[in-house]
Amino acid sequence: MDTSQGRVKLRNLEANPYAAIAVVDKDNPYLYVQIRGEVRLDFANGARDIDRLSMRYGGQPYKYPPTDSPDEGCQNTMKLHRYKMQEGRTECNCPRR
Amino acid sequence: MQLPEKVKKFLEKPNFAVLATVSPKGRPQATPVWFMLDGEEILMDTSQGRVKLRNLEANPYAAIAVVDKDNPYLYVQIRGKVRLDFANGARDIDRLSMRYGGQPYKYPPTDSPQKRVSLRMRPTGFSGMGMG
């Protein structure tokens, strides 16, 4: 993942590196994966990695809004490591389909 | 605090929420849940024995992120304090099930009406993107 300096998530992770992500299938919200882990901050490769993510999601390098910049130390990469994974259907199940 | 009307309007749509709670050791958990706005509170529902309930008993502060299923760049985050309601869990899971599935909740073998617990989050802050 990737964020910018000044964001709450970065401040939180500097104080406590443990985090969790939940990824929900956009075509079937009853299908999801939760991953818990410890996040390492990489201040050196944030600008490179936001472009990699932007290619994946938008097919082009990241377009910076006026409040953001690729300057060194401004974009931070966060890498989850030592993760645990739990795969399943949502907590509040609908009737099985 | 009161949520702005445009946020309340967005919450009417039956998107899923991702509910984040924190364990006594400071380890977050994040899971998708059904939710609905009930007055000024965000209503969710869980079962006894679940991690999110154990976490909320130790630390009632939580956050939800609701992402629009038709436009993932549109989202709202709401932070708040969760009150547990052990009396109305079975009633409220049926209300949620009606909203998301159009029928009362069908219990899997591992669950029962006696185990359901309502989660009522009173918002203390929010943020969002793409809300105009």
Side-chain angles (χ1 to χ4, degrees):
Chain A
M1 294 163 287
D2 199 290
T3 188
S4 267
Q5 292 198 20
R7 304 286 173 84
V8 172
K9 61 174 73 58
L10 181 62
R11 205 160 63 231
N12 287 351
L13 289 166
E14 284 177 324
N16 173 3
Y18 293 96
I21 63 170
V23 182
V24 180
D25 190 303
K26 58 185 170 187
D27 299 315
N28 174 11
Y30 293 94
L31 184 62
Y32 80 94
V33 171
Q34 180 196 179
I35 302 173
R36 296 180 298 280
E38 193 174 343
V39 175
R40 181 169 62 80
L41 306 175
D42 173 0
F43 290 81
N45 296 300
R48 179 200 68 187
D49 290 336
I50 191 62
D51 279 341
R52 292 171 67 200
L53 287 163
S54 187
M55 289 302 293
R56 166 167 145 93
Y57 285 91
Q60 57 182 333
Y62 186 61
K63 289 191 176 169
Y64 287 88
T67 54
D68 203 353
S69 89
D71 296 346
E72 192 179 339
C74 205
Q75 285 283 337
N76 308 309
T77 305
M78 305 184 288
K79 287 178 179 162
L80 272 174
H81 62 128
R82 279 196 265 165
Y83 59 82
K84 285 182 183 172
M85 192 167 82
Q86 169 198 327
E87 187 171 356
R89 294 187 155 254
T90 55
E91 164 68 17
C92 296
N93 264 319
C94 235
R96 305 281 182 202
R97 294 188 173 144
Chain B
M1 67 162 297
Q2 278 204 327
L3 295 171
E5 282 308 314
K6 64 181 179 184
V7 171
K8 288 184 175 178
K9 185 81 187 158
F10 176 71
L11 297 178
E12 283 176 13
K13 189 169 174 177
N15 292 303
F16 282 43
V18 171
L19 170 65
T21 62
V22 184
S23 80
K25 292 173 78 176
R27 308 292 198 264
Q29 196 229 30
T31 45
V33 296
W34 288 343
F35 78 94
M36 65 189 286
L37 193 60
D38 192 16
E40 297 298 324
E41 295 178 326
I42 307 292
L43 172 64
M44 295 163 285
D45 200 289
T46 189
S47 263
Q48 296 196 28
R50 304 287 173 84
V51 172
K52 60 173 71 57
L53 182 61
R54 206 159 62 231
N55 287 354
L56 289 167
E57 285 177 322
N59 175 356
Y61 293 97
I64 61 169
V66 181
V67 179
D68 190 301
K69 58 186 167 187
D70 299 312
N71 174 11
Y73 292 95
L74 183 64
Y75 82 94
V76 169
Q77 183 205 181
I78 300 172
R79 296 175 299 281
K81 192 171 176 180
V82 175
R83 180 168 62 81
L84 307 175
D85 175 0
F86 289 83
N88 296 299
R91 179 199 68 186
D92 289 337
I93 191 62
D94 279 342
R95 292 171 68 199
L96 288 163
S97 188
M98 289 302 294
R99 165 168 149 94
Y100 284 90
Q103 57 183 321
Y105 185 60
K106 289 193 176 167
Y107 286 88
T110 54
D111 202 356
S112 73
Q114 294 75 27
K115 291 171 77 173
R116 301 303 308 191
V117 182
S118 303
L119 309 177
R120 294 186 164 275
M121 187 166 84
R122 188 171 291 275
T124 56
F126 75 96
S127 60
M129 194 171 77
M131 299 290 294

